[in-house]
Structure formats: C-alpha cells, structure tokens
Amino acid sequence: MKSVSIQIKGIVQGVGFRPYVFNLAHKYDIKGWVNNDEKGVNILLYAKEENIQNFINELKINPPKLAKIDSIEIEKITNIKEYKSFEIIESTSSNNKSTIVSPDMSICDDCINEINDNSNFRFNYALTNCINCGPRYSIIKTVPYDRCNTSMADFILCDKCEEEYKNPSNRRYHAQPVACEKCGPSLKLYNQNSINIYNNIEAIKETANLIDKGYIFAIKGLGGFHLVCDATNDETIKRLRNLKCRPNKPYAILFKDIKSIKYYTLLTSKEEEVLNSKEKPIVLVDVSKNSLLSPYINPNVEKLGCFISYTPLQNLLFRYLKNPIIATSANLKDEPIIRTKEEIFEKLGNVVDFVLDYNREIVNACDDSVIQIVEDNIIKLRNARGYAPTSIKVKKAINKKVLSLGANQKSTITLAFENNLISSPHIGDLSTIDSVEYFERTIETFKNFYDFKPEILVCDKHPNYESTKYALKMKEKEPNIEIVQVQHHYAHILSVMAENGLENDVLGFAFDGTGYGDDGNIWGGEVFIANRKEYKRIKHIKYFRLLGGEKAIKEPKRVALSLLFDNFSLDEILLLDNPVVKAFEQNEIKMLYTMWEKGLNAPLTSSIGRLFDAISSFANILHVQTYEGETGLQIEQNYDKCITDTYTYTIKNEEIDLSCMIKEIVKDSDKKLICSKFINTIVEIILDISNMYKDYPVVVSGGVFQNKTILSLLIKRFKQVDKVLYFNKEVPSNDGGISFGQAYCII
C-alpha cells in the first residue's frame, strides 16, 4: 500500500470538487480524506500504487466541469498511516488565503428539469441551484467558500435539503446556496408603490402577463437587477428609451433558448456554442433581415446582443412569456448595476412599473459578460458573470502583494500574489460618486477574500483618474505603501503579454480613444517596443487638436473640422462642399478656427479612437454621438469587404502622418467607400510597421481592436504570412484589461 498527499489550486471550491474526489476514490477503492482550505483542495490517498495512479490520471483528464485547475502538487508520504474509509473532512483555516473565487454560473440542465417536474419538491422554485450551477461570486463574503461565509448563512436547511447537502453522492453536497421553497429565499412582486402583490410562481405568472401587456419591470438577476420589457413592443421600448434618456444605444435581448435566437438572428456555429455554454454570456450576432424584433432595440445597427435565460427565475418566466425580452442592466448612466429593490425605487422609480425581487442578498454586484466571436476566437468586451473573477498563473512567484487599480473607464482591479493574477469583474466608469464607492467596495471585497494587505499600489499616470486619486489617498493613510504609475498604453500591451506569458521585447500597437501620455498629450495611436519592465515609443499618429476638449468626443464633427484645419486654409474650408462644413454655421467655423490656431481648449491627441469619430463625420454618418463607441459601430457596419483600396499615409521618423488621407477623403462622398478605405488603411499601417520590425512578436491592444472587422483582417493577414498575432482573450482589449497589464509590470 502507498500513500500520497495532493494539493490542488485554482477554481476548486464551490464547484463540487470534494464530492467528485469522494466518488472517484470509491471508484478506485482508495481510502483517505479530502478537505478545503484557503489555498484550495487537499487530498490524502491510501491505496495500491496502480489505483492511486488511475485516480490521478482521471482527476487531470476529467475534473468537475466548473473547476479550473491551476496546479496539482503530489507528494509521496513515507510515514504511512492506515485508513479504513474515505471521508470528506472539515475545512481547515490558516492565515494564507489563495483559493480562487468561482464566477457565477448559469442554471444547469438537471436543475431546469427539476423546476419543470411537478413530482419534484423543487417544482416551480425560482432559486434552484446545485454544485454545477448558480451563484458563487455574487453571494460570497470571504473564503473558504462555506455557507456561513455567504448570504445564505441565515437560511436554515429543511430536512430534505439538508439530506442532499450532507450526501457526498448527491450533486447538492455542500452546494452552499442550496434551498427550496420551504427553507430558502422567496420571490415577491411589487407594484410601483412598493406594495407586495404576488409571491413565488404566481408572481412569475403575473410578471409575464404584465410584460406582455407592455409594462416595464426591474427583475433581480444573479448579480443585480435588469430592466425588462417586451422586445417586440415599439411603444414600450420608446417609453423606456425616453425615461432612461438613452436615445440610440442598443439593448441586449434575453431569449428562451437557442431555437428562439435562431428565429431572429443569423448565428455561426461558434456563436451558438458560446451562447449555449455554461457561462451563457451576451454574444453580439448579426440580425436576420426578417426579424420581428422592434427596430428601436438597436437603431441603425445590424448587430444584436443576445443571451439565453440563465437563471431558474428566467426559465420559469419564459414558460409564460410570448416574446423575447429586453434585459439591460438596471442603473443610472455611468453608475453600477443596482443590487437592491430599495435602490431601484429610489433611482429608477420613474422608469419601472413593477419590481420582481427575492430576499437572497447580492453581496457582490456582477454585470453580464459581453462577447463577440472573431475568427472563432472568444473576445471579451465586458468580463463579468460566468468568467470573472478571472485568474491566470504566472511563471515567477510574486514576492510582494500588489493591487493594481486600472483606469477610469471600464474599471477593474487586479490582485497579484504568489503565482496569481486575479482580476475583478467589470466595475464600470468611475465618473459618479456611486461608481467610485462601488470601486472602493470591490477593492475591500477582494482584500477580504484573501486577507490581502497591499504592499504596492499600481495606478495610471493620469492625475485626474479616480483610481489614481485612490492610490494617493491610500499613500497618505499608509506611508509605507509603494506607488507605481504605469503609462496607460503600455499597460494595454502588458495585458496581452500577461495572458500569453511574454516577457521579452514585443512590437506593441496600442490604439484606443484616450490615455495620458508621457509628454502630457492625449495618446491613443501608439507603437512601442516593450518588454515586461520597460517600453520605448517608436511611432505614433501625428498629433491633431480636439476642439473643445471633452466636447469633441461627443461631437465627431469637431474632430473632423480640426483635421480640415490641419490640411486646408480657412478660406478653402469655407468653400468646401463637405458634410463636415455643412454641420456648422460659418461663424462657428471661424470661432473654432481661432481656438485651433491659438490652442485654446484644444489639446493635442494621437488617438485613433478620435479618428474614427472624424471619419463618421466625413462620411456623413454621425456628427454628434449619443454613446461611447457609436461611431465605431457605424463605421464597421458600413464596411464593404469588396473594397480593398486604402488611403495614402506616410511614416517619417516617429510620426504616422495621415494628411494625405484627409485630403483624399474630402474628395470621396460615398460613406461605404470612406469607411472601408479607412479601416483598410489602419490595417495596412499595422502591417507596414510590423514589416519594419520583423524580428519582434506583434501585440495589439486597446479599444480600437474591439472592432471586429479590423481584428479579423489582421488575424487573416498575419496567418497568410505565417506569423503569430497576439491579442486579448482572457481580459478585454478596452480599459477593462488595464489593471491586468499594470500588475504584470510589477511581478
């Protein structure tokens, strides 16, 4: 007989790992024990050597489906003790927490079958879950992941649930949120006066009935509330847009199942696979031309954010609904998703007609993840439910505890300790008091998970970012904390390097909307030679001015006009027959020319994101945008793959000069031609510079690479020349990946 101890790290708690080990041990006639601690799962095996090896092989090949194993450490025991049985023993506690918190997961097929089976005691129960599905991150207060450390602590199990909870052969063994209608959280429907009018299944039936009649609801999901209404009802959606002051930004649509999505959209096999995955994210897909969905869902955009019902409540709701529903995050503009009924009535009382709530507390808010498929690659636009917290292992152990604070938009935080980089779910833009409070609360949550006291704080160089201000505030409180500031675009490149374990020099393209440059200007079209410790800016888009600063971001016509000022005289511009010129009064152009000439409230930028804005105005698509990224969506939609021409540009020393492109654009009038040639030009610039530095691996990151057409073209072109292109997959290429890159710089 032999004996070995095994320590497993990764996402191994709250995923059924201990009962899996218990049953696997019985399969191979192994004695010993398994338990949890703050680092992961510990196993002791006592059996014949062949049985132990079979156990280890199966553990590696076929672990629990929600588990993510980062490491398996096996140690032979020389002082062998005899065991008579295999047991699951109590969790142990130490002061070194490092087990990874599991993301929330969509309802599994077994639980769906139970809530639809009238002979099962969980028939119609809207908060059903098991070890293979349901809330994790959203209910946990600290690790180890035990019921007493979650928002289920006050719900005492009934006899039936307790029997399942204590049975290692049951899929609800130590499933911490396990409950039923008798002993668990309950569902309540409230009218606009906050009066409870229906409960449980009757509340669901009435909710479906009222949605079909055109009412707007706030419905509690796993990580926060959704605003919900009928996706085929034009008048209701127009009312929702008016009440939310959201004129054009597309809404996500929740469907009953994949069959329902196929009825309204055009899916690829990969998109179908991801929509049906255990994470069930929102996936951007092409809309069918014969779609019966309201055109007010996604005005002027032919893509649709779709997802499948992922909670038992949603599954039961679709039993009675007639149509798909809008399910968008319930929040005020630039604020985090709302977690409580009370906050819904306080902030969105004028928007919602009814609220469907349950009394299991959401400890940690978590939005829906947003995905798009590019050349069969899963690209995250928002990293949240199902995928986050996101962790990767790095080769080199981290000696100090590092907390990186990300950017100001699409905020996330990342913890670095031991061999772990752990990134939070999407937090949002830090532009309101509530969003900053949420940011700080998320930091405290992650510190609490791991008893984490940061020794190094990493932040952006922008002095006005709330994340930077937080770092400086912490430095005042704790003078021994070290602060490291990392340039924004360098952090973008580092985020890709971290994902791929790259340490040595790469050729990095960081293209986005804005970021504080080392020279004090607004960067966004940068090319670096970079490694994990340093970078050199070797190329950038030639600077141009943003007329009116922040106002230029909302008014693309101002960016376009600035580019005209760079390339034509004022008299020439006033005579141009061009949509940009027509978007202004002549005296307004003269005033803005003075502003441009004297550099008054007209900062310099190299941003390709702002170039997208300008192109939308030149193409007469958008002169004023109503939400971030609107110009990029419109330009992508007007791309014609049959047009392969590019505009002229020059690369001289460090500058990428687009003056010739602007002069050529004013001669073109067809919007598809302008948009297509512009996208082709961006791709050609990247390929051109890559050929100048052939010996370097190529890395691309930044919000511009969320553009599916640009990334797809690059992947194809690099494949043609048999060269690897590195881009973000685990974290978003937008600012949601900044904290990840910041942390990688320090380890």
Side-chain angles (χ1 to χ4, degrees):
M1 301 290 285
K2 302 287 183 181
S3 192
V4 301
S5 68
I6 303 173
Q7 185 179 68
I8 303 175
K9 295 180 181 179
I11 299 177
V12 291
Q13 291 188 17
V15 295
F17 215 102
R18 288 175 299 169
Y20 164 86
V21 167
F22 177 89
N23 291 310
L24 195 60
H26 278 271
K27 177 179 176 180
Y28 290 111
D29 192 25
I30 292 173
K31 315 304 179 190
W33 53 262
V34 60
N35 78 346
N36 280 345
D37 67 13
E38 289 90 340
K39 289 189 174 184
V41 169
N42 305 299
I43 308 168
L44 187 139
L45 304 179
Y46 173 75
K48 292 179 181 178
E49 187 168 5
E50 181 184 359
N51 293 12
I52 290 175
Q53 195 56 52
N54 288 336
F55 174 98
I56 292 170
N57 289 341
E58 187 163 343
L59 175 69
K60 290 178 177 178
I61 294 168
N62 189 29
K65 67 177 184 177
L66 297 189
K68 179 192 172 189
I69 296 175
D70 288 330
S71 66
I72 300 177
E73 295 178 13
I74 302 168
E75 185 179 337
K76 289 183 179 179
I77 296 174
T78 53
N79 187 15
I80 297 174
K81 175 184 173 183
E82 183 179 356
Y83 290 87
K84 299 291 187 183
S85 62
F86 194 91
E87 297 179 8
I88 298 174
I89 63 176
E90 286 296 311
S91 300
T92 60
S93 185
S94 69
N95 294 318
N96 189 10
K97 299 179 181 180
S98 60
T99 191
I100 310 301
V101 175
S102 171
D104 295 344
M105 285 296 169
S106 62
I107 185 172
C108 67
D109 290 342
D110 289 331
C111 284
I112 290 174
N113 291 336
E114 286 176 350
I115 63 175
N116 289 326
D117 179 2
N118 59 15
S119 66
N120 190 286
F121 75 99
R122 287 196 180 82
F123 177 58
N124 286 342
Y125 184 50
L127 293 152
T128 296
N129 59 80
C130 71
I131 205 68
N132 297 319
C133 68
R136 301 288 193 279
Y137 169 75
S138 61
I139 64 168
I140 187 172
K141 297 175 182 177
T142 189
V143 296
Y145 179 63
D146 289 329
R147 194 176 179 98
C148 61
N149 293 330
T150 73
S151 57
M152 289 297 294
D154 294 336
F155 293 96
I156 308 303
L157 292 165
C158 68
D159 291 344
K160 284 185 177 180
C161 287
E162 187 170 26
E163 183 182 341
E164 292 179 325
Y165 185 82
K166 290 183 175 179
N167 181 0
S169 63
N170 191 285
R171 78 175 201 281
R172 289 196 172 88
Y173 176 79
H174 280 217
Q176 306 308 340
V178 67
C180 68
E181 195 165 310
K182 183 178 179 181
C183 65
S186 57
L187 201 63
K188 295 182 184 294
L189 176 60
Y190 296 88
N191 65 16
Q192 207 168 31
N193 297 317
S194 195
I195 296 170
N196 177 205
I197 53 176
Y198 289 98
N199 298 325
N200 299 322
I201 192 63
E202 295 306 317
I204 291 174
K205 289 178 181 177
E206 184 61 13
T207 296
N209 175 46
L210 292 168
I211 289 172
D212 287 341
K213 288 182 176 178
Y215 289 96
I216 298 169
F217 272 72
I219 298 179
K220 197 172 188 178
L222 276 180
F225 277 86
H226 287 114
L227 289 178
V228 170
C229 68
D230 185 344
T232 67
N233 189 319
D234 291 354
E235 295 307 312
T236 302
I237 297 170
K238 283 194 282 185
R239 182 163 73 95
L240 177 61
R241 286 201 175 280
N242 183 51
L243 292 169
K244 276 278 285 164
C245 301
R246 183 173 168 170
N248 292 316
K249 190 175 181 181
Y251 285 120
I253 307 299
L254 186 65
F255 292 84
K256 179 179 181 179
D257 50 31
I258 201 73
K259 182 181 177 183
S260 177
I261 292 182
K262 284 181 172 180
Y263 183 75
Y264 295 96
T265 66
L266 305 170
L267 295 184
T268 66
S269 58
K270 187 67 175 182
E271 287 166 348
E272 183 174 343
E273 176 191 320
V274 176
L275 282 162
N276 255 334
S277 67
K278 64 184 186 296
E279 293 84 6
K280 289 190 170 54
I282 296 171
V283 180
L284 299 187
V285 303
D286 292 330
V287 183
S288 167
K289 298 224 183 289
N290 300 319
S291 174
L292 298 175
L293 296 171
S294 170
Y296 297 100
I297 290 169
N298 52 340
N300 308 314
V301 178
E302 292 175 3
K303 289 190 180 296
L304 190 66
C306 302
F307 57 142
I308 296 172
S309 56
Y310 60 85
T311 69
L313 191 164
Q314 292 165 355
N315 272 268
L316 290 169
L317 187 60
F318 272 111
R319 188 191 292 171
Y320 307 104
L321 281 171
K322 293 178 181 176
N323 301 309
I325 53 176
I326 281 177
T328 187
S329 302
N331 60 349
L332 292 175
K333 181 176 170 55
D334 295 332
E335 289 196 2
I337 189 169
I338 292 174
R339 297 180 296 152
T340 67
K341 164 178 67 74
E342 290 71 23
E343 198 176 356
I344 286 288
F345 281 116
E346 177 191 342
K347 294 185 174 180
L348 296 174
N350 66 319
V351 176
V352 301
D353 302 311
F354 296 91
V355 177
L356 187 60
D357 187 29
Y358 56 80
N359 59 330
R360 182 182 70 212
E361 180 193 359
I362 296 173
V363 177
N364 306 307
C366 192
D367 236 310
D368 294 309
S369 292
V370 182
I371 301 292
Q372 70 176 346
I373 306 301
V374 184
E375 299 299 313
D376 274 353
N377 293 285
I378 296 174
I379 305 298
K380 295 176 181 175
L381 306 182
R382 184 165 69 202
N383 189 33
R385 176 185 54 78
Y387 298 101
T390 297
S391 67
I392 66 164
K393 284 284 181 185
V394 291
K395 299 171 191 172
K396 186 180 176 185
I398 303 158
N399 297 324
K400 292 189 176 182
K401 292 185 175 181
V402 179
L403 169 61
S404 58
L405 300 165
N408 221 58
Q409 290 184 299
K410 300 176 177 63
S411 167
T412 60
I413 62 165
T414 295
L415 273 60
F417 59 93
E418 296 182 2
N419 291 87
N420 303 303
L421 290 185
I422 303 172
S423 190
S424 74
H426 167 86
I427 295 170
D429 295 351
L430 305 183
S431 51
T432 65
I433 292 172
D434 281 357
S435 62
V436 173
E437 286 177 353
Y438 177 33
F439 167 73
E440 293 182 356
R441 189 168 69 241
T442 303
I443 291 171
E444 292 306 310
T445 293
F446 275 78
K447 284 166 68 176
N448 194 36
F449 283 164
Y450 303 106
D451 287 342
F452 188 90
K453 187 175 181 181
E455 297 165 89
I456 301 175
L457 294 177
V458 194
C459 63
D460 197 273
K461 287 186 173 182
H462 199 303
N464 294 325
Y465 275 8
E466 293 298 332
S467 48
T468 307
K469 292 176 186 176
Y470 176 87
L472 297 174
K473 183 173 68 176
M474 291 303 296
K475 178 72 172 176
E476 286 180 12
K477 290 181 180 178
E478 300 180 42
N480 290 332
I481 288 182
E482 181 184 350
I483 291 182
V484 177
Q485 292 184 282
V486 178
Q487 199 280 323
H488 186 95
H489 299 93
Y490 176 43
H492 271 309
I493 301 304
L494 286 165
S495 71
V496 182
M497 294 177 70
E499 285 191 40
N500 294 280
L502 303 174
E503 296 195 358
N504 299 322
D505 285 349
V506 301
L507 179 65
F509 294 84
F511 291 177
D512 64 3
T514 185
Y516 190 80
D518 288 335
D519 57 4
N521 292 323
I522 301 168
W523 288 8
E526 316 310 313
V527 188
F528 297 134
I529 298 293
N531 57 46
R532 193 167 57 79
K533 289 298 179 186
E534 59 185 2
Y535 64 97
K536 181 183 178 184
R537 186 195 195 203
I538 58 167
K539 308 285 180 196
H540 65 87
I541 296 295
K542 184 181 177 182
Y543 286 131
F544 54 94
R545 293 196 177 278
L546 295 180
L547 301 174
E550 289 285 327
K551 197 168 184 181
I553 297 171
K554 295 178 180 177
E555 297 184 15
K557 62 183 182 180
R558 285 173 173 255
V559 187
L561 186 62
S562 177
L563 291 167
L564 289 179
F565 289 157
D566 281 342
N567 292 284
F568 298 93
S569 69
L570 178 59
D571 289 339
E572 287 174 325
I573 290 168
L574 293 173
L575 293 173
L576 279 176
D577 181 19
N578 186 272
V580 176
V581 178
K582 291 176 181 176
F584 293 95
E585 298 292 333
Q586 288 219 347
N587 62 337
E588 196 178 3
I589 293 175
K590 292 174 183 177
M591 179 196 71
L592 289 169
Y593 183 80
T594 301
M595 183 187 292
W596 171 82
E597 198 173 31
K598 296 184 177 181
L600 300 172
N601 192 21
L604 292 170
T605 185
S606 56
S607 166
I608 289 186
R610 299 290 74 84
L611 281 177
F612 269 86
D613 296 345
I615 297 304
S616 76
S617 184
F618 281 125
N620 204 22
I621 296 171
L622 275 177
H623 298 293
V624 177
Q625 61 179 338
T626 61
Y627 61 89
E628 185 199 2
E630 187 175 7
T631 58
L633 278 174
Q634 295 292 333
I635 288 169
E636 187 175 5
Q637 185 165 300
N638 281 284
Y639 182 80
D640 185 344
K641 63 182 180 183
C642 296
I643 298 172
T644 57
D645 293 340
T646 62
Y647 286 115
T648 305
Y649 61 89
T650 58
I651 300 174
K652 188 175 181 181
N653 299 323
E654 288 189 9
E655 284 188 341
I656 305 164
D657 190 343
L658 301 176
S659 300
C660 294
M661 180 182 83
I662 302 305
K663 291 172 183 175
E664 291 168 359
I665 280 175
V666 296
K667 296 175 183 176
D668 289 333
S669 58
D670 182 79
K671 62 182 179 180
K672 286 191 178 293
L673 181 65
I674 293 171
C675 294
S676 303
K677 288 174 73 174
F678 171 68
I679 283 179
N680 293 341
T681 302
I682 298 298
V683 171
E684 204 60 40
I685 287 169
I686 294 169
L687 291 164
D688 197 357
I689 296 172
S690 299
N691 285 329
M692 297 178 190
Y693 299 86
K694 288 184 177 180
D695 294 336
Y696 294 96
V698 178
V699 167
V700 298
S701 187
V704 166
F705 296 104
Q706 291 183 141
N707 185 296
K708 184 174 180 178
T709 304
I710 287 178
L711 187 55
S712 177
L713 287 169
L714 284 171
I715 291 170
K716 288 175 182 174
R717 294 288 293 273
F718 273 77
K719 197 172 183 180
Q720 285 171 6
V721 295
D722 198 27
K723 188 168 183 178
V724 177
L725 177 71
Y726 293 98
F727 49 92
N728 293 106
K729 296 179 184 177
E730 292 297 317
V731 296
S733 63
N734 60 42
D735 284 5
I738 288 285
S739 69
F740 215 62
Q742 289 173 339
Y744 193 59
C745 180
I746 302 303
I747 61 174

